[in-house]
Amino acid sequence: MNVLILFTALCLVARGIRAMRPAPFDEEYTFDAPSGVRLVSTNNEHGGHSTDGVTQVFGADGNILYEMPVFTGRRDIYLSPDGAVIVLDGEIYYGPSLMRPTESPHWTDQVVTSVYLEGKLWRDIRYETDLNGKPVKEEYGGGWASRTFTLDVSWERNVLTYDMEDASEKVEISLPSVDWVSVM
């Protein structure tokens, strides 16, 4: 009996060392902007690990502005005051705290932030191409590493500012302006 318990414990420990597995998603994620605009993202699986879903954005008056076939997951959500621009930052399972290591050929130049304009992908921000990110080594099982930068979103200046740990300067990337919205 003691041998069976010991064997089971060793198997569970060994399994935990090999890979991190994310917790199941909540059925719904919401974000309320100070302007009264609201984002609601629903997982198609009603929880679980599926990354499929739908996101709806509601105006301050409660009417739906648009819907997009994207599930936000655990990414940080930034929503412009008028609701036209959504910034999703981080990894869908672990949010902005973890990223894939760059030394793996499977995860080169990964998308770290996605910007949507009225529900359509406007731009993906890539770690190496856009942020000049330096190599990141795996720290956790399953191919994960700590993120080496932080993000600040300024709606007043209409810019994303990345503070890179391994660089002397911050990287700024413009967001779509209100003029873009009225043209489209």
Side-chain angles (χ1 to χ4, degrees):
M1 181 69 164
N2 287 341
V3 173
L4 180 62
I5 293 172
L6 180 61
F7 177 74
T8 303
L10 286 173
C11 287
L12 291 173
V13 168
R15 181 179 171 179
I17 290 172
R18 281 197 322 247
M20 288 176 41
R21 180 164 170 86
F25 289 114
D26 293 336
E27 184 175 337
E28 185 176 275
Y29 292 85
T30 61
F31 177 81
D32 295 305
S35 64
V37 177
R38 179 179 177 89
L39 177 146
V40 178
S41 190
T42 307
N43 178 287
N44 281 354
E45 201 175 87
H46 306 290
H49 290 96
S50 172
T51 57
D52 295 328
V54 173
T55 297
Q56 296 178 316
V57 176
F58 298 89
D61 60 2
N63 291 324
I64 188 165
L65 298 175
Y66 56 89
E67 179 176 294
M68 59 190 212
V70 175
F71 176 58
T72 62
R74 295 186 182 97
R75 294 178 277 196
D76 275 357
I77 300 167
Y78 300 89
L79 186 59
S80 66
D82 65 357
V85 180
I86 300 171
V87 175
L88 297 179
D89 184 50
E91 208 282 325
I92 195 164
Y93 290 110
Y94 294 109
S97 58
L98 297 178
M99 64 184 285
R100 293 291 190 178
T102 57
E103 21 176 64
S104 168
H106 303 290
W107 304 109
T108 58
D109 207 14
Q110 61 193 289
V111 173
V112 294
T113 306
S114 295
V115 180
Y116 293 85
L117 178 60
E118 291 188 334
K120 294 177 181 61
L121 181 63
W122 183 77
R123 180 172 181 188
D124 279 333
I125 311 301
R126 297 188 170 276
Y127 179 71
E128 293 168 9
T129 302
D130 298 313
L131 303 181
N132 301 317
K134 305 289 187 255
V136 176
K137 295 184 181 199
E138 182 176 339
E139 296 176 56
Y140 307 104
W144 296 99
S146 295
R147 215 159 99 155
T148 60
F149 58 91
T150 57
L151 171 65
D152 179 59
V153 178
S154 172
W155 298 116
E156 295 80 24
R157 294 183 41 232
N158 217 35
V159 37
L160 303 173
T161 303
Y162 292 87
D163 190 357
M164 309 296 288
E165 290 177 7
D166 56 5
S168 60
E169 295 182 12
K170 295 179 180 183
V171 177
E172 289 192 348
I173 296 178
S174 296
L175 287 165
S177 69
V178 176
D179 297 338
W180 286 68
V181 175
S182 59
V183 170
M184 300 183 106

